[in-house]
Amino acid sequence: MSRIQVRDLRIELSGRTILHDVDLSAEPGELIYLLGRNGAGKSTLLRSICGMITPASGEVLIDGTPVRRLPSPARSLGMHLGTEPVHPGHTARRHLRWIAAAAGVGGDRIDQVLARTGVDAYGNRRIGDYSLGMRQRLGIATALLPVLDGGDGAGALVFDEPLNGLDVEGIVWLRNLLGALAADGHAVLVASHLLAEVARSADRIVLIDRQTASPAVPVAEFQGRHDDLESAYLAAIGVRADSSQVPG
Ligand code: ADP
Ligand code: MG
């Protein structure tokens, strides 16, 4: 079981307020999707939850413990924070060994996560030669390192746009994986723009807009009187569905 709680969070970067008054709770077994336009602050929120950004005020609790007091956040939280920050010359195995060591996670987990994500087929190839979809799978494998042991069962998970670049079978695979993680009692928080997938899979949705987060609500409630999630989303961020203007 795992829980993520964000209380009254305010994030300032380079003297600018990026997020304020953010309250969010992801309960055990819940799959929550974060929506919001480019630059809204989704990645910033996920990084703050992982303890990588220190808030100006407010706090993040992981299973009731402030993230800044966790001896090793990477051990308590599965983190997929994008597809960029990996050494291109490393193989997937070497990358995962390095992360596992840094997080204090047993190296025996590496074969498990490689198999679970389908990366085992190319685990000994240079990451620099991977497609975006392969890098996504490796990022997802990294997030599973502290989670997949069937033992302590600990671990909330965050994923930053993990669907980008996945092929159709990859999207179906990830849908099933996220569903299975939630069913196992993990709190799962995912940033995505792929609204068809969000509408299909989310337990609740949070919109990041105007430097803050809306209350987490079920898809049907977010959609309200709109025909679909896309129309509801565009209305919520103040863009007309027939507009070809560049928003913002
Ligand atoms: P999203 O993930 O929703 O696209 P981000 O969280 O990446 O948005 O960015 C939110 C805002 O914070 C953007 O305006 C971005 O320019 C700004 N930002 C992100 N990182 C930094 C940083 N290290 N210093 C200053 N501003 C930043
Ligand atoms: Mg982002």
Side-chain angles (χ1 to χ4, degrees):
M1 303 294 253
S2 61
R3 181 180 273 112
I4 299 169
Q5 290 162 291
V6 177
R7 291 191 185 149
D8 206 13
L9 195 73
R10 180 180 195 91
I11 302 293
E12 292 175 6
L13 297 174
S14 312
R16 258 181 68 211
T17 299
I18 306 296
L19 292 167
H20 62 82
D21 299 294
V22 175
D23 287 285
L24 170 65
S25 180
E27 302 297 324
E30 233 189 352
L31 176 52
I32 295 189
Y33 273 88
L34 286 184
L35 310 184
R37 57 191 3 158
N38 295 326
K42 302 177 296 298
S43 297
T44 301
L45 177 56
L46 294 180
R47 287 175 181 276
S48 308
I49 286 170
C50 293
M52 298 171 70
I53 296 175
T54 305
S57 59
E59 63 179 351
V60 172
L61 306 175
I62 306 299
D63 301 332
T65 302
V67 68
R68 65 193 152 76
R69 283 215 232 118
L70 290 172
S72 170
R75 197 170 179 165
S76 305
L77 262 172
M79 303 179 188
H80 168 287
L81 294 172
T83 51
E84 291 312 315
V86 290
H87 192 302
H90 283 186
T91 65
R93 268 181 201 288
R94 181 152 179 208
H95 172 70
L96 290 168
R97 265 205 306 276
W98 188 72
I99 302 275
V105 172
D108 52 327
R109 208 77 60 82
I110 290 169
D111 282 327
Q112 287 177 33
V113 300
L114 284 169
R116 185 83 183 257
T117 53
V119 181
D120 46 359
Y122 38 86
N124 295 320
R125 276 160 60 184
R126 292 175 72 248
I127 296 167
D129 296 335
Y130 284 18
S131 67
L132 175 57
M134 289 158 76
R135 290 205 305 277
Q136 286 288 21
R137 285 176 182 262
L138 176 59
I140 294 160
T142 308
L144 294 179
L145 272 178
V147 172
L148 263 198
D149 69 344
D152 54 25
L157 296 113
V158 306
F159 295 89
D160 197 351
E161 304 200 24
L163 291 153
N164 295 358
L166 289 182
D167 56 17
V168 176
E169 66 190 86
I171 290 172
V172 173
W173 162 76
L174 183 58
R175 177 189 307 149
N176 291 333
L177 175 66
L178 296 177
L181 289 167
D184 279 349
H186 301 287
V188 186
L189 196 51
V190 186
S192 182
H193 297 288
L194 300 189
L195 296 184
E197 189 54 37
V198 174
R200 181 169 186 145
S201 305
D203 291 316
R204 291 193 292 160
I205 297 178
V206 172
L207 175 67
I208 310 291
D209 190 40
R210 284 163 251 216
Q211 285 85 49
T212 194
S214 68
V217 293
V219 177
E221 189 175 332
F222 187 92
Q223 209 167 297
R225 62 185 171 76
H226 293 275
D227 291 339
D228 52 32
L229 182 57
E230 183 179 273
S231 325
Y233 169 79
L234 290 173
I237 62 168
V239 175
R240 280 177 42 181
D242 60 358
S243 168
S244 59
Q245 284 185 323
V246 175

